[in-house]
């Protein structure tokens, strides 16, 4: 960041600094956990290609236009979400900015649970060996979801995230400068590794083969829209907030096109990673395509356990696999925490700007954390509630 003479205390030193900041916050469970499970859930008997076409369609018609708009509004108003709407449309549209902030809070209610899973798996594999069979991976997942640890880790993540926001995020930023690129490197390397597994090539055929009957499913269209919004972070004010720190010469349209496309490419790589691992490892157990599809769909309610079951199983097949797994979940946990902090910071800024509960940062953080502890608890307790 550098000083700016335009009334903004700091700006990104270059558009690439902004680009990697946005990518760093977006890389996390939305790509490694949510995208593969949505792909599995919305796949038809013949393949998941129809969902991918819908997903790309919404990238072009929903995410890119929204992000271009967010960049333009943030750079023009140099304000947080709520005040940006008020400056543009007057007091009568202030509620739109508050609603956008509320959306990020609602996402945070269950995103906290997924972040807690990442930290649990990190600590679990520090203390325990990796699974070597699918049954063992399923057992680790099932035992965790029926234990008190899921709620304890959920509470710990909420409290820790609130404390980080209160004390400042500099230490996490320094850690992410190393861990997020490490996670990206692991993702690319694991994807290549997964594609070398015997039988993994069939995963690509399944992923990219359309099942045209899925076009008649309203659920498939809604899932594709929600997943692309999740992948790109379009529509809940993240890019508007980042745009406050853009330089005047930075192009809104170019950034609004490049960043969501880059996010979607990483999501696609994560989907290939998980599908190739699942298909490749299942080939060892002589499973047919229908069996593999059932494995994808039934890895927990709505495929919630897909990534957590199959990536440790792959790493367990090699000598240094446990070290790789620990590094993977450390990097994923840090990336997930970084994304969660962004989900807290957006409503926090709106509360501070509007003065709804005063302009005290500590009070605002306490209110958001209390809301997460209360309204996020059902997702931590029940996989069926989370899957919905």
């Amino acid at each position: 960041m550098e000083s700016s003479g335009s009334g903004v205390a700091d700006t990104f030193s270059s558009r690439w600094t902004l680009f990697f900041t946005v990518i760093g916050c977006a890389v996390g469970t939305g790509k490694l956990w949510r995208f593969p499970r949505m792909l599995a859930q919305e796949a038809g008997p013949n393949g998941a290609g129809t969902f991918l076409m819908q997903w790309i369609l919404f990238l072009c018609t929903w995410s890119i236009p929204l992000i271009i708009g967010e960049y333009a509004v943030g750079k023009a108003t140099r304000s947080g979400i709520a005040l940006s709407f008020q400056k543009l449309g007057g007091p009568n549209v202030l509620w739109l900015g508050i609603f956008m902030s509320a959306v990020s809070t609602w996402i945070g209610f269950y995103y906290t649970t997924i972040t807690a899973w990442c930290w649990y798996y990190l600590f679990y594999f520090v203390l325990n060996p990796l699974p070597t069979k699918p049954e063992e991976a399923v057992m680790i997942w099932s035992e965790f979801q029926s234990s008190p640890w899921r709620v304890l880790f959920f509470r710990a993540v909420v409290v820790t995230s609130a404390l980080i926001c209160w004390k400042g995020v500099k230490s996490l930023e320094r850690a992410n400068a190393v861990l997020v690129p490490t996670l990206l490197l692991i993702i690319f390397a694991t994807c290549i590794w997964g594609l070398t597994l015997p039988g993994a090539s069939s995963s690509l055929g399944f992923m990219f083969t359309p099942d045209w009957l899925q076009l008649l499913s309203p659920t498939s269209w809604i899932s594709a829209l929600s997943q692309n919004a999740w992948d790109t972070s379009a529509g809940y004010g993240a890019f508007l907030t980042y745009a406050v720190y853009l330089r005047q010469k930075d192009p809104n349209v170019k950034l609004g096109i490049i960043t969501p496309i880059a996010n979607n490419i990483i999501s696609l790589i994560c989907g290939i990673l998980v599908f190739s691992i699942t298909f490749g490892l299942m080939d060892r157990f002589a499973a047919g395509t229908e069996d593999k599809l059932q494995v994808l769909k039934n890895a927990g309610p709505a495929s919630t356990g897909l990534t957590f079951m199959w990536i440790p199983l792959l790493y367990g097949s090699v000598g240094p696999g446990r070290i790789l797994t620990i590094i993977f979940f450390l990097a994923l946990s840090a990336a997930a925490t970084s994304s969660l902090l962004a989900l807290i910071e957006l409503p926090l800024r709106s509360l501070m700007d509007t003065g709804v509960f005063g302009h005290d940062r500590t009070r605002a953080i306490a209110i958001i954390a209390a809301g997460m502890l209360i309204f996020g608890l059902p997702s931590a307790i029940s996989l069926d509630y989370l899957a919905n």
Side-chain angles (χ1 to χ4, degrees):
M1 303 282 275
E2 63 182 15
S3 297
S4 167
S6 60
V8 180
D10 294 297
T11 60
F12 287 101
S13 57
S14 72
R15 69 188 64 168
W16 289 108
T17 307
L18 168 68
F19 175 77
F20 285 116
T21 299
V22 172
I23 293 296
C25 285
V27 171
T29 63
K31 291 171 172 49
L32 268 167
W33 170 75
R34 197 177 194 274
F35 180 75
R37 86 175 186 86
M38 294 304 296
L39 201 59
Q41 283 297 299
E42 299 304 328
N46 299 319
T50 304
F51 178 80
L52 287 177
M53 288 189 291
Q54 295 165 322
W55 177 69
I56 293 170
L57 174 65
F58 285 121
L59 167 68
C60 300
T61 59
W62 175 268
S63 297
I64 288 177
L66 274 178
I67 291 172
I68 291 173
E70 285 191 43
Y71 275 134
V73 170
K75 194 164 73 172
T77 62
R78 302 293 184 184
S79 299
I81 302 173
L83 287 187
S84 289
F85 278 85
Q86 187 175 28
K87 285 182 178 181
L88 286 176
N92 291 334
V93 296
L94 176 64
W95 67 272
L96 284 171
I98 295 173
F99 176 77
M100 285 182 70
S101 299
V103 168
S104 67
T105 309
W106 296 332
I107 294 171
F109 290 160
Y110 84 87
Y111 193 84
T112 308
T113 297
I114 315 304
T115 305
W117 294 353
C118 298
W119 283 108
Y120 173 83
Y121 264 67
L122 169 63
F123 284 103
Y124 181 88
F125 289 122
V126 167
L127 301 172
N128 297 280
L130 297 178
T132 56
K133 301 176 182 178
E135 295 81 4
E136 294 174 3
V138 172
M139 184 181 69
I140 293 170
W141 171 257
S142 300
E143 287 182 351
F144 169 53
Q145 292 301 332
S146 60
S147 75
W149 288 114
R150 69 195 194 283
V151 175
L152 290 174
F153 270 80
F154 160 75
R155 290 172 176 167
V157 165
V158 173
V159 173
T160 303
S161 299
L163 287 173
I164 292 173
C165 280
W166 180 58
K167 295 291 288 183
V169 299
K170 290 298 181 184
S171 58
L172 185 66
E173 287 176 351
R174 287 192 290 269
N176 274 339
V178 175
L179 291 173
V180 170
T182 300
L183 179 60
L184 283 172
L185 182 62
I186 293 172
I187 287 171
F188 292 137
T190 305
C191 183
I192 294 170
W193 180 13
L195 288 173
T196 65
L197 296 173
S201 58
S202 61
S203 67
L204 295 179
F206 183 80
M207 271 188 65
F208 293 100
T209 299
D211 192 313
W212 299 111
L213 287 177
Q214 293 298 104
L215 290 174
L216 303 178
S217 168
T219 303
S220 183
W221 288 96
I222 294 171
S223 296
L225 172 59
S226 65
Q227 181 57 42
N228 206 282
W230 183 276
D231 281 328
T232 59
S233 301
Y236 69 83
F239 291 98
L240 189 156
T241 303
Y242 286 128
V244 171
Y245 305 102
L246 283 176
R247 301 168 301 176
Q248 284 298 332
K249 64 180 182 180
D250 290 330
N252 301 330
V253 175
K254 184 181 291 186
L255 285 170
I257 293 173
I258 292 174
T259 47
I261 289 176
N263 272 315
N264 271 29
I265 290 172
I266 295 172
S267 291
L268 194 60
I269 291 171
C270 290
I272 293 171
L273 181 158
V274 173
F275 270 59
S276 63
I277 290 172
T278 305
F279 273 63
L281 292 179
M282 284 300 292
D283 242 42
R284 296 181 183 177
F285 304 94
T289 301
E290 289 187 8
D291 297 323
K292 294 171 184 175
L293 181 57
Q294 289 307 308
V295 168
L296 289 169
K297 288 181 176 290
N298 296 327
S303 307
T304 45
L306 190 59
T307 300
F308 292 92
M309 292 178 190
W310 289 96
I311 287 182
L313 193 61
L314 174 68
Y315 290 151
S317 64
V318 295
R322 189 171 172 188
I323 296 174
L324 288 172
T325 304
I326 290 170
I327 295 173
F328 172 81
F329 279 109
L330 174 61
L332 181 60
S333 298
T337 302
S338 179
S339 299
L340 179 59
L341 293 177
L343 292 173
I344 295 174
E345 194 66 37
L346 291 177
L348 174 61
R349 174 48 50 194
S350 289
L351 288 178
M352 296 281 290
D353 286 347
T354 58
V356 175
F357 298 102
H359 297 280
D360 185 274
R361 183 177 176 87
T362 301
R363 183 188 300 175
I365 291 173
I367 290 168
I368 294 170
M372 286 185 165
L373 285 170
I374 294 169
F375 297 107
L377 188 60
S379 293
I381 292 174
S382 170
L383 277 178
D384 292 322
Y385 187 92
L386 177 74
N388 186 46

